[in-house]
Every structure is written in structure tokens, then in C-alpha cells.
Amino acid sequence: MSEKVLAREGRVIVRKFKRSDLADRSAWPPYRDPLNTHLNFDLSTFIDRERWLFTRKANAGRMYFAIEDEQGRLIGEMSLRDIESHEKTSRLGIHLASNKVSQGYGREALAGLLTYYFDNMKWNTMYLDVAAFNFRAIRLYERLHFERMRDFWRRISADDCVLTAPEYAHIRHLMRRAPGGIEALHHDMLLTKERYFETLAQGTGEHLVAE
Ligand SMILES: CC(C)(COP(=O)(O)OP(=O)(O)OC[C@H]1O[C@@H](n2cnc3c(N)ncnc32)[C@H](O)[C@@H]1OP(=O)(O)O)[C@@H](O)C(=O)NCCC(=O)NCCS
């Protein structure tokens, strides 16, 4: 691993995503839940990989980060898009390999990125949007002190079964049928540098303070 480490937190490091990561990424097991299958990408051919990289790296409005676990394996990615260099704001994306969720890696990776973003880059605000049915992600963001700003409906790429199958009954009210597809309620959230440093100061010197 030769890429510069941008942040270390718990078991993970955060660094820039590099072309050679694509081989590891393409070996991630796919998500099976229809609400997450949009996260699966077929990167088996050279063209697939170049297209994937082009939309992420060549686009000047994005920064792309890799998450490595304690064994140096690629376990996730984070992105900053809608970058406003003048305002020093951007919008977060985060996504772990399907076999790495709910083990605390997301919290460590995002805490690391926040340190880099606010302490090193000295940026002002991080925005994100999250589907209201994504309770795990919302818990993560709230735990790291993101605040909800507003709610809105957005089209999602999911099969109709999410509106009918019993396993989705508990989140059915957070989705609706719309012309040409399905929409899900989303939350817009943000974390300002003031709140980041304020909550850091109230903690124990590290950002992963249990609540
Ligand atoms: C969202 C994501 C990055 C979170 O990372 P993670 O490592 O899985 O999450 P963590 O284990 O760090 O923390 C999840 C928290 O949610 C809680 N949680 C898990 N499932 C939950 C559920 N169904 N309802 C409520 N809380 C839940 C966990 O207990 C944990 O809280 P705690 O720290 O207080 O114990 C990861 O799950 C992921 O990549 N998911 C798929 C892509 C995605 O949803 N991206 C976000 C799009 S906005």
C-alpha cells in the first residue's frame, strides 16, 4: 500500500481511491436486498472499469476515497461530490462491501474522513442525503452529529416488491409509487465545522464517543 494515508481511525485507514483498487472492488460480494442492488457494479471488463473510474475520478466535482481494514483490504469507498471549493462544502457518499456492514467500520471510516475534512482540509460544511428507510445509515450520521435539515421524495431504482413484500411492511410508509417508478422519502443532513468541533470538545478527545 503506497498511497498516502489521509486518516486513521480505529481499525481503518482512509486514502485516495486508486485504479488498482478496482480489482478488489470487483470481488466484493453483491448486495442481495433490492433496496441496495444499485450499489452492485459489474466491473469485469476493461470498459466497465474505465467507465466506472471516469464518472468518479475524471469528474473534477468529486473526490474519491478508499477504506482499508486492519488487514489492508479494501472494504469500502467514500466520495465527496457537489464540491464548492469557494464555500468549502461538499456532499458525502459512503458505501461498504456487503459483507462488511454493521461491524463498526462505517463509523470509523466516516469519523476518519471528518477529521481529514474539518481538521486538515479545513472545510466548512459536509452535506449528505439518505433514504428515510436506511435506519443504519441514519444512526451512523446522527451518532457523528449530522443534523436533519429537510425531507424530500426521490426516485429510487428498486423492484416493485419493496411496495408489496411483507419484509418491507415496516418501511412501506417511507416509499410511494410515482409515475414511472418508486420514490422514497429522503432526509437532507449536514454537519458544520462549528458543530463538529463543538461536539469534539464535549467528548473525550476522540470523535467516537459512545452515547
Ligand atoms: C451505511 C453504512 C456506511 C454504515 O456503516 P456500518 O459499518 O454498516 O455501520 P456501523 O456498524 O458503523 O454503525 C451502524 C449503527 O447503526 C445501528 N444499526 C444497525 N442496523 C440498524 C437498524 N436496522 N436500525 C437502526 N440502527 C441500526 C448499529 O447498531 C450502529 O449503531 P451503534 O454504533 O450505536 O451501535 C454501511 O452499512 C453501508 O455501506 N451500507 C450500504 C450503503 C449505504 O446504505 N450507504 C449510505 C447511503 S446514504
Side-chain angles (χ1 to χ4, degrees):
M1 197 272 303
S2 55
E3 197 70 46
K4 188 175 156 206
V5 174
L6 303 176
R8 276 179 207 282
E9 186 73 63
R11 297 159 294 169
V12 310
I13 64 155
V14 177
R15 59 166 174 77
K16 279 198 186 149
F17 196 95
K18 52 183 196 270
R19 181 177 293 266
S20 57
D21 288 323
L22 283 178
D24 295 331
R25 197 199 185 287
S26 59
W28 288 354
Y31 279 91
R32 300 286 175 203
D33 185 332
L35 290 171
N36 275 334
T37 45
H38 65 283
L39 300 170
N40 301 332
F41 291 95
D42 181 1
L43 298 175
S44 46
T45 70
F46 177 77
I47 299 284
D48 292 335
R49 292 193 287 274
E50 287 307 305
R51 190 180 295 130
W52 191 91
L53 270 180
F54 180 79
T55 53
R56 283 155 183 86
K57 298 207 76 174
N59 178 348
R62 275 199 188 196
M63 288 184 230
Y64 233 78
F65 302 95
I67 307 167
E68 271 184 21
D69 70 4
E70 60 275 47
Q71 265 124 34
R73 291 174 304 206
L74 181 79
I75 58 161
E77 62 201 21
M78 292 184 285
S79 63
L80 297 176
R81 64 182 194 280
D82 299 348
I83 289 175
E84 298 285 349
S85 334
H86 195 65
E87 304 292 325
K88 295 188 184 300
T89 64
S90 66
R91 185 166 290 270
L92 172 79
I94 179 169
H95 161 202
L96 298 182
S98 63
N99 58 342
K100 295 292 172 183
V101 300
S102 283
Q103 299 163 48
Y105 286 116
R107 189 159 54 91
E108 292 176 9
L110 183 52
L113 184 65
L114 292 177
T115 306
Y116 178 66
Y117 191 80
F118 291 115
D119 265 352
N120 300 78
M121 289 172 63
K122 305 210 180 302
W123 278 39
N124 290 330
T125 304
M126 188 182 284
Y127 295 94
L128 63 83
D129 45 84
V130 55
F133 60 70
N134 194 344
F135 302 127
R136 183 171 53 203
I138 293 168
R139 169 74 185 153
L140 165 67
Y141 303 141
E142 288 181 340
R143 199 148 178 213
L144 291 177
H145 309 292
F146 281 81
E147 296 175 292
R148 263 168 70 174
M149 286 190 304
R150 70 175 185 116
D151 291 353
F152 64 99
W153 290 89
R154 177 196 282 159
R155 179 87 185 271
I156 56 169
S157 55
D159 190 271
D160 253 27
C161 73
V162 299
L163 295 180
T164 51
E167 60 264 43
Y168 300 103
H170 66 298
I171 54 171
R172 173 72 183 85
H173 62 293
L174 302 172
M175 295 182 281
R176 69 184 184 192
R177 207 178 291 278
I182 299 169
E183 290 182 343
L185 187 67
H186 280 69
H187 306 316
D188 245 335
M189 302 182 80
L190 66 77
L191 179 61
T192 62
K193 71 173 178 207
E194 288 79 13
R195 182 162 165 84
Y196 172 77
F197 286 115
E198 193 183 291
T199 53
L200 201 60
Q202 286 163 5
T204 59
E206 57 172 27
H207 206 61
L208 298 181
V209 183
E211 285 171 357

